[in-house]
Each structure stands twice: as C-alpha cells, then as structure tokens.
Amino acid sequence: MAEQSERKDQLRDRLQRGRETLLAAVQILSETDLAKPVGHESHWTAKDLIGHIAYAEGSMLPLIERALTGDSAPPSADFDLDRWNDSRVRRAREQSVADLLARLTASRQDALALLDRLSEADLDRPATHPTVGATTVAGIFRIIAAHERDHARELRAIHDEA
C-alpha cells in the first residue's frame, strides 16, 4: 500500500460524502418515484438514473488505471458517451435497485483500494475524462463524487415533486 496523505484522505471523504448524499436520495424514493422520468432531456426514469450511477464509478476506474500507465489520451473520435451510457442503463433495467446498490458498494471498494495504492505523484498524473476532458487522477476521483452528488439532486427533485 502506498503512503497515506492528507489529499488522499480528502478524496476519500469527498467520495464518502457523495455516496451518502446519493444513498439518502435513493432511500426516500417510492416505487412510483422510481418510474418517473428524470428532469432533463433524457428518456430515463429515476431507476434508470440509479442504474447509470451504478455503472459509472466502475467505468471511471479504468481511466485511472490507464493514466497510471502514462496513457491519458482522449477517447477515440467515434466514442459516443450517450450511446455508452444508454447501453449501461439498458443492462441495469434488468436489475433490482438492491442489485444496483450492491454494484455501487463493490465499485466503491474497488475505487478505495485503487486510491489506497496510489502515491502522491500518482494523483497528479494526467488523465482524461470523456465529458470533462483533461484532468488528473485526483480529478477523476473528484468527478466520481460530484457525479453522484449531482444525480442525487435530480433524484431528490423527483421525490419532492410528489
């Protein structure tokens, strides 16, 4: 295991707070809420959004692994993030919310294990995120936490509309 650092502790805390916010939002949703469309241009329901989130963290960890090998190249020109996200949502539709939450737990264990083995220098390695673009390894961890917080707000809004 690599050394502990204040920055890694801050990333861990940010990830934890993002996850707590997300889980609190999911917990208040009723079955009716889960079937409601989310409040943006998407055709996704609240359950679809949970599925999207459940696959997102695990999909960002390979971006970090690639950065650790020195590969921070952007996605290929033909990569379509919307199509990729929709394919994960279709896969998630076959799963229960409990199964999706279990996926979140597993991906978080993987994320924290990866964070634990990183050095301070690793956190500064260049990385690329398909939406954000150029960032760092630490930036990818921040994106994971922000992604969960942002979508938690959408889920809470669905519930609050009731």
Side-chain angles (χ1 to χ4, degrees), residues 78-90:
D78 66 344
F79 178 74
D80 182 334
L81 183 61
D82 290 333
R83 184 176 57 218
W84 191 91
N85 281 334
D86 281 340
S87 73
R88 296 312 177 268
V89 166
R90 280 192 304 276

Side-chain angles (χ1 to χ4, degrees), residues 1-13:
M1 175 155 62
E3 75 272 5
Q4 288 305 114
S5 72
E6 184 176 330
R7 191 157 57 140
K8 286 169 60 172
D9 289 343
Q10 290 170 345
L11 289 170
R12 242 183 240 95
D13 182 57

